[in-house]
Amino acid sequence: MKAMTIEKYGKNVPLIMTERPMPTMGEHDVLVEIYAASLNPIDFKIKEGKVKLLLTYEFPLVLGNDFSGVVTKVGKRVSAFKPGDEVYGRPRKDRIGTLAEYIAIHEDDISLKPRNLNFEEAASIPLVGLTTYQAFYDILNLQKGQKILIHAGSGGVGTFAIQLAKLMGAYVATTASDKGYDLVNSLGADQIINYKTENFEEMLKGYDAVYDTLGGTALEKSFQVLKPNGKIVSVSGLPNSRFGKEAKLGWLKTAVLSIVSRKITALEKKSGTRYHFLFMKPSGAQLKIIKKFIEEGHIIPVIDKVFDFKETGQAFQYLESGRAKGKVVVKIK
């Protein structure tokens, strides 16, 4: 099969179209012919070696973390899927590789794709959908009437997050540029802060939650908008020692995380709030719930641009430019 691979970590390391062996299947796996895959910030972080502390891979490495496609074969213990099923999913972290023509994936990590989406639209959902679902339901326990700040509302994560937060009955503030204003407004954002001309930390107070997709100074300033006992979930900040313990990374890595995240921990204590770093988990069951939201019309995919498989390198460059409004998708079939 054809696959996009890298030979080593690095920002300028090229993606190369190579021939790879067909995936090997376990008895609980399904073999999926991939029709489309979407790109996410985790892809270029993996490519550049920025998450080596948390994830280790062998080379050549096939990149890609979510997809849609058609089941072609099932393992002998698989009962929920059959050849011909149209599915979407996010593979486990040790089994990534959706920028390829085929993938073997555990049956628990996929769902039938939403019936009202094409393959490119469906491929744009799994990672951002699962990440946001787990942030809002599992960690924040977001309630009707609560106030949440969602950073970068016009981005791939933000466009999904605004819609889910509104579905859950929350009041949503978001940051966006002039170019992203109409998009986030159409998705239901209640308050839109132009991050180029306005300071969100001066305009927002007493918020229950912040969903951080930026990290850095935006994350640090976010503590100022929370009320006591408010919560921040970040997918771009630094993991802390709490995450190290929960993820059972061992005492050495946990100690390292404690050191590198000490500024965040200090802000957490000073503000009387709670900081959570989120590394989402694959879940076919949650994808099934998201499928229902989409089929009922509560959430629509937002896609900025679709690239052909051979243009995957250009797709990476476009995503890294920060200009994308919504998701960047690679059409494989």
Side-chain angles (χ1 to χ4, degrees):
M1 68 172 185
K2 290 183 171 62
M4 281 291 179
T5 61
I6 55 172
E7 295 293 335
K8 61 180 181 179
Y9 292 127
K11 184 176 179 65
N12 298 316
V13 169
L15 283 150
I16 305 168
M17 181 84 80
T18 58
E19 287 288 338
R20 301 290 299 155
M22 288 289 287
T24 55
M25 290 178 62
E27 56 187 14
H28 287 285
D29 289 345
V30 300
L31 184 68
V32 179
E33 183 176 11
I34 298 175
Y35 279 50
S38 79
L39 299 187
N40 300 277
I42 188 65
D43 294 309
F44 57 77
K45 289 178 182 177
I46 291 172
K47 179 176 178 286
E48 294 170 18
K50 290 182 176 178
V51 291
K52 285 189 289 186
L53 184 66
L54 304 178
L55 299 172
T56 54
Y57 294 109
E58 295 180 356
F59 296 98
L61 173 62
V62 183
L63 295 170
N65 280 275
D66 56 4
F67 72 96
S68 66
V70 176
V71 175
T72 61
K73 188 178 179 182
V74 300
K76 63 182 181 181
R77 291 186 176 271
V78 173
S79 58
F81 300 95
K82 64 185 185 305
D85 284 344
E86 297 181 352
V87 297
Y88 74 147
R90 196 279 199 233
R92 296 171 188 189
K93 296 174 183 68
D94 59 348
R95 301 185 70 180
I96 68 168
T98 62
L99 291 169
E101 292 181 317
Y102 290 88
I103 192 168
I105 185 168
H106 196 287
E107 63 175 328
D108 290 347
D109 300 344
I110 60 172
S111 163
L112 295 175
K113 81 172 182 62
R115 291 189 298 271
N116 55 336
L117 300 188
N118 63 32
F119 285 104
E120 289 81 26
E121 292 168 332
S124 75
I125 295 293
L127 191 140
V128 297
L130 289 171
T131 302
T132 304
Y133 186 94
Q134 290 166 24
F136 289 5
Y137 282 90
D138 299 343
I139 299 175
L140 295 176
N141 189 26
L142 195 61
Q143 300 294 312
K144 184 176 181 180
Q146 287 190 326
K147 297 165 76 174
I148 184 171
L149 166 62
I150 296 170
H151 281 295
S154 65
V157 179
T159 49
F160 186 97
I162 291 170
Q163 296 179 82
L164 183 59
K166 293 307 300 178
L167 177 60
M168 297 172 74
Y171 177 94
V172 176
T174 193
T175 55
S177 66
D178 289 334
K179 291 179 180 178
Y181 181 93
D182 289 342
L183 174 58
V184 298
N185 186 54
S186 72
L187 296 175
D190 298 289
Q191 184 172 354
I192 305 165
I193 295 128
N194 186 329
Y195 66 83
K196 292 187 175 180
T197 60
E198 299 172 315
N199 297 318
F200 72 87
E201 72 276 13
E202 296 173 1
M203 301 177 66
L204 307 176
K205 300 295 177 190
Y207 270 59
D208 300 280
V210 174
Y211 189 33
D212 169 57
T213 60
L214 299 173
T217 56
L219 169 58
E220 293 168 9
K221 291 176 180 177
S222 294
F223 287 92
Q224 300 176 40
V225 313
L226 288 173
K227 65 184 185 183
N229 297 315
K231 296 177 182 177
I232 294 180
V233 174
S234 179
V235 296
S236 295
L238 290 166
N240 56 6
S241 59
R242 186 184 305 124
F243 172 82
K245 291 170 185 172
E246 290 171 353
K248 298 178 181 177
L249 296 179
W251 71 269
L252 182 58
K253 286 185 177 181
T254 300
V256 171
L257 293 179
S258 178
I259 293 168
V260 299
S261 65
R262 58 187 180 275
K263 186 174 183 180
I264 294 296
T265 301
L267 289 167
E268 182 184 36
K269 289 179 179 176
K270 182 180 178 182
S271 59
T273 58
R274 190 85 164 169
Y275 170 77
H276 299 264
F277 174 77
L278 174 59
F279 218 38
M280 57 77 61
K281 299 177 180 66
S283 172
Q286 291 177 349
L287 283 174
K288 194 172 180 181
I289 295 169
I290 293 168
K291 171 181 178 287
K292 184 171 181 285
F293 292 159
I294 292 170
E295 290 178 346
E296 291 174 349
H298 300 301
I299 293 175
I300 58 170
V302 179
I303 294 176
D304 182 290
K305 202 167 183 178
V306 177
F307 290 82
D308 288 332
F309 194 17
K310 63 181 182 293
E311 299 173 326
T312 302
Q314 296 166 244
F316 265 78
Q317 291 173 0
Y318 184 65
L319 180 65
E320 287 190 81
S321 74
R323 299 194 305 270
K325 300 290 182 274
K327 291 300 296 289
V328 176
V329 175
V330 175
K331 180 180 172 66
I332 294 173
K333 183 179 172 68

